[in-house]
């Protein structure tokens, strides 16, 4: 083989090594970018899930507060009804007591 042919083969081999090295670097960069994008996606999804959880918790707390207020109002109304009924019977009870004390 002539010196010129050997030189061309050597240059071609060197060029092939450089292309392989560039391809390997590009592959590493692509993998690193994909990993970075994947980590960012996971972080974004976690943040969204946490926000949704906080929102659901706030809604549940608001519903529980409303239900508690409603129950308190209903119990207050029942208490007032019992007080009115007791006051209505107070005169009769007082009369019975006075009648018994007066009879003794």
């Amino acid at each position: 083989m002539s010196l010129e042919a050997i030189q061309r083969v050597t240059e071609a081999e060197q060029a092939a090594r450089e292309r392989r090295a560039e391809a390997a670097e590009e592959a590493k960069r692509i993998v690193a970018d994909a990993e970075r994008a994947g980590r960012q996606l996971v972080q974004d999804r976690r943040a969204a899930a946490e926000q949704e959880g906080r929102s659901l918790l706030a809604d549940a707390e608001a519903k529980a507060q409303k239900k508690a207020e409603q129950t308190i109002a209903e119990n207050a109304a029942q208490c007032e009804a019992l007080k009115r009924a007791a006051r209505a019977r107070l005169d009769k009870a007082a009369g019975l007591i006075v009648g018994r004390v007066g009879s003794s």
Side-chain angles (χ1 to χ4, degrees):
M1 227 162 132
S2 72
L3 184 60
E4 189 177 307
I6 293 173
Q7 191 175 6
R8 274 190 259 135
V9 169
T10 303
E11 288 172 358
E13 288 174 347
Q14 180 62 30
R17 278 192 294 273
E18 288 173 4
R19 282 194 301 270
R20 275 195 300 272
E22 289 171 3
E25 287 300 316
E26 178 69 15
K28 286 179 185 177
R29 191 169 53 255
I30 289 170
V31 168
D33 289 347
E35 286 175 350
R36 188 172 26 263
R39 282 191 299 272
Q40 184 63 46
L41 182 60
V42 168
Q43 185 178 1
D44 292 347
R45 296 295 184 204
R46 277 190 182 133
E50 288 173 5
Q51 179 60 37
E52 185 178 356
R54 284 190 294 271
S55 178
L56 290 171
L57 182 59
D59 288 347
E61 287 174 345
K63 287 177 183 177
Q65 180 66 30
K66 184 177 179 181
K67 180 67 175 169
E69 290 170 359
Q70 192 176 26
T71 301
I72 289 170
E74 289 170 0
N75 289 341
Q78 289 174 353
C79 187
E80 280 302 314
L82 289 172
K83 285 180 185 178
R84 281 193 302 275
R87 284 187 194 111
R89 291 188 222 128
L90 187 60
D91 289 338
K92 184 176 178 181
L96 288 173
I97 292 170
V98 169
R100 287 186 184 168
V101 170
S103 316
S104 346

